[in-house]
Amino acid sequence: MPQLNGGGGDDLGANDELISFKDEGEQEEKISENSSAERDLADVKSSLVNESETNQNSSSDSEAERRPPPRSETFRDKSRESLEEAAKRQDGGLFKGPPYPGYPFIMIPDLSSPYLPNGSLSPTARTYLQMKWPLLDVQAGSLQSRQALKDARSPSPAHIVSNKVPVVQHPHHVHPLTPLITYSNEHFTPGNPPPHLPADVDPKTGIPRPPHPPDISPYYPLSPGTVGQIPHPLGWLVPQQGQPVYPITTGGFRHPYPTALTVNASMSRFPPHMVPPHHSLHTTGIPHPAIVTPTVKQESSQSDVGSLHSSKHQDSKKEEEKKKPHIKKPLNAFMLYMKEMRAKVVAECTLKESAAINQILGRRWHALSREEQAKYYELARKERQLHMQLYPGWSARDNYVGSYGKKKKRKRDKQPGETNEHSECFLNPCLSLPPITDLSAPKKCRARFGLDQQNNWCGPCSL
DNA sequence: AAGCCTTTGAAGAGG
DNA sequence: CCTCTTCAAAGGCTT
């Protein structure tokens, strides 16, 4: 079943997703920032109209509320729209191109990043976010001065691309891109940059870049010996100005991929010949981070009911569980995107709750151009391939409830017209309503909307 | 403390 | 084949 060879018929997980973008990709190679911003504005306006209509028509239609913005649907719902229709939309005024169109297909991650090198929003993205999150507005003058600062820091036109320079402080002082590299930089010594870094220079951007990364998972915790030998798929994007491109600890890596387990050859689903290399090491000697030790916590919570059980029995059970590592699913494209962008969103907004952050990320995901999404689909595809190679016998069902001792309550079944708690408020993302200062709204609701700098929260919560 | 929330995508299960 | 469900990450919130 596993197609270890990427070959021609490669399963680019979401080919359909890419196909849906077919007609809008090569439309305009060069579009001025102004026109882009105008388009963003039009996009947001269109979104506003649609949302207001949605609210009017069916505030109880949870499914409708769950739908992405209309433009996103234009991209995604290819089953309902023919390509000709899509083309028609392009010609017509209704079609709204991607917020960040015209990017060459060179898999530049984060090219669409609305963030300037100093962490502020680019004008284009500002237009977008300004509408989505009015409270995030920044004075235009401030913007200009920031822009000037940015230009000053970026003497060459390459600064356009160097938008990727991650200045936004990661909450954990980790490079914003390091979420993709699930390692810790705690003990990393930036004194020895990876030797490959200056090896290749992108003729287009002038940014030094290593060759396209091999099928190495960005989630591999690299041992000291391997640091610098394995380029991160996104590593070449990261500026080399003294910053560690590979903030990798000498030992393990940070959560959520704790130290790899010793794989027991007696694992039921892993015949000896299929058992991953020692200590779950990849052929590169890298333990795969997808392996997670089952927590004793869960174990104890399950067995505490039967206090009559002997501690010996519990211990043996624990041992048994320990021997069976939890191999996590490879991350899909969106998960990879979330990992990369979460820190930026968190830094930009005052939101902290992941549910809200994820909503923003979901919208941004839809706003990505097909090239940008393709980058993540490609990464995800490589992740899956590598995962398959490392764990040939692994199946997603191994992680299903009951297979891992993890007990998850089944999701609440929603009634057809049922909406989530405060979903009306939640899903009306500060688009058309002015910020309000009503602190009487439910705590949960407020939390999800977050507070702006004036401690205002927005959202038409009716409760 | 465990589970929920929220997103998208992949994959399994079942009809 | 289609639909539904679960799980990946994340972290504040709820029970």
Side-chain angles (χ1 to χ4, degrees):
Chain A
M1 175 177 112
Q3 299 99 2
L4 298 182
N5 215 334
D10 216 343
D11 58 329
L12 189 64
N15 274 336
D16 51 348
E17 196 79 22
L18 298 177
I19 293 171
S20 63
F21 288 92
K22 208 165 234 174
D23 283 341
E24 51 91 10
E26 295 81 23
Q27 45 182 342
E28 296 155 285
E29 281 300 321
K30 292 184 179 180
I31 298 178
S32 71
E33 207 171 42
N34 285 341
S35 63
S36 177
E38 285 176 9
R39 219 188 328 206
D40 288 345
L41 187 57
D43 174 23
V44 173
K45 284 178 180 175
S46 167
S47 175
L48 284 173
V49 170
N50 180 279
E51 293 218 14
S52 60
E53 285 177 354
T54 301
N55 290 337
Q56 285 176 1
N57 292 340
S58 60
S59 61
S60 62
D61 187 353
S62 62
E63 183 57 30
E65 289 177 346
R66 283 174 53 91
R67 298 314 311 159
R71 180 176 46 76
S72 301
E73 261 185 341
T74 300
F75 291 151
R76 302 174 61 82
D77 204 350
K78 78 273 183 188
S79 63
R80 277 181 260 163
E81 295 176 273
S82 67
L83 292 176
E84 295 127 347
E85 267 184 335
K88 210 181 292 179
R89 283 177 176 232
Q90 283 193 1
D91 294 334
L94 288 178
F95 177 79
K96 303 301 184 296
Y100 320 106
Y103 296 118
F105 192 84
I106 52 178
M107 301 289 265
I108 298 182
D110 207 7
L111 194 57
S112 70
S113 172
Y115 301 92
L116 299 174
N118 61 356
S120 63
L121 285 171
S122 70
T124 301
R126 186 170 307 279
T127 304
Y128 181 78
L129 275 182
Q130 192 170 347
M131 300 302 292
K132 305 288 187 185
W133 302 91
L135 301 180
L136 295 176
D137 188 20
V138 179
Q139 296 298 325
S142 162
L143 171 64
Q144 288 174 353
S145 59
R146 290 189 186 189
Q147 183 71 29
L149 269 177
K150 181 203 72 174
D151 292 343
R153 288 184 206 162
S154 307
S156 77
H159 76 268
I160 298 173
V161 180
S162 68
N163 269 359
K164 301 179 293 296
V165 175
V167 181
V168 175
Q169 178 107 28
H170 189 278
H172 304 299
H173 304 285
V174 176
H175 191 286
L177 281 181
T178 54
L180 275 176
I181 321 170
T182 324
Y183 334 121
S184 165
N185 63 343
E186 289 174 13
H187 304 99
F188 182 82
T189 306
N192 299 318
H196 67 273
L197 285 181
D200 187 9
V201 175
D202 189 323
K204 209 163 188 175
T205 65
I207 293 181
R209 48 176 291 189
H212 191 69
D215 285 350
I216 298 299
S217 168
Y219 298 98
Y220 289 148
L222 301 184
S223 64
T226 56
V227 171
Q229 294 176 9
I230 302 173
H232 184 275
L234 300 179
W236 58 274
L237 290 157
V238 185
Q240 285 89 46
Q241 300 166 348
Q243 286 190 358
V245 176
Y246 302 101
I248 297 158
T249 182
T250 56
F253 39 94
R254 70 180 181 88
H255 184 79
Y257 297 128
T259 310
L261 288 174
T262 299
V263 174
N264 191 314
S266 65
M267 292 188 323
S268 58
R269 296 191 61 85
F270 292 91
H273 70 283
M274 297 172 81
V275 170
H278 186 54
H279 287 274
S280 303
L281 293 182
H282 184 236
T283 52
T284 58
I286 304 166
H288 198 285
I291 300 181
V292 173
T293 311
T295 61
V296 178
K297 212 188 299 176
Q298 293 166 340
E299 189 69 28
S300 60
S301 67
Q302 288 175 357
S303 56
D304 62 353
V305 176
S307 57
L308 294 178
H309 291 323
S310 67
S311 58
K312 270 188 179 180
H313 179 72
Q314 292 183 9
D315 287 344
S316 63
K317 201 175 177 183
K318 287 176 186 174
E319 292 284 331
E320 199 172 320
E321 284 295 333
K322 280 181 181 177
K323 288 176 183 175
K324 183 182 178 183
H326 179 67
I327 301 171
K328 293 191 174 184
K329 293 175 66 173
L331 303 190
N332 62 38
F334 179 70
M335 288 292 145
L336 292 169
Y337 172 76
M338 283 212 309
K339 263 186 157 313
E340 179 181 340
M341 298 300 293
R342 171 178 298 278
K344 288 183 179 178
V345 174
V346 170
E348 191 67 28
C349 309
T350 52
L351 295 170
K352 288 183 178 176
E353 194 174 350
S354 289
I357 297 295
N358 291 349
Q359 281 204 336
I360 298 174
L361 287 169
R363 296 183 78 122
R364 289 195 180 185
W365 172 254
H366 289 297
L368 288 180
S369 69
R370 115 185 130 160
E371 290 85 3
E372 290 158 337
Q373 286 193 345
K375 176 193 69 177
Y376 294 98
Y377 284 122
E378 180 69 15
L379 281 176
R381 184 186 62 80
K382 290 181 177 179
E383 276 296 311
R384 288 197 305 274
Q385 281 190 345
L386 192 57
H387 197 276
M388 276 191 295
Q389 291 175 3
L390 285 174
Y391 317 109
W394 180 85
S395 167
R397 75 167 173 271
D398 293 353
N399 294 357
Y400 270 35
V401 178
S403 300
Y404 178 53
K406 198 197 300 188
K407 273 190 176 177
K408 246 185 180 179
K409 279 185 182 175
R410 196 177 171 184
K411 259 189 179 179
R412 248 192 340 170
D413 285 340
K414 286 179 188 173
Q415 301 301 322
E418 185 184 355
T419 59
N420 289 330
E421 197 179 2
H422 310 309
S423 62
E424 185 180 350
C425 161
F426 191 17
L427 292 170
N428 200 341
C430 313
L431 287 175
S432 55
L433 296 174
I436 59 178
T437 56
D438 180 12
L439 295 179
S440 63
K443 186 181 177 183
K444 182 178 179 180
C445 185
R446 276 180 286 152
R448 287 189 176 165
F449 269 99
L451 300 172
D452 68 352
Q453 293 177 347
Q454 287 78 41
N455 282 333
N456 298 329
W457 71 277
C458 54
C461 184
S462 57
L463 299 178

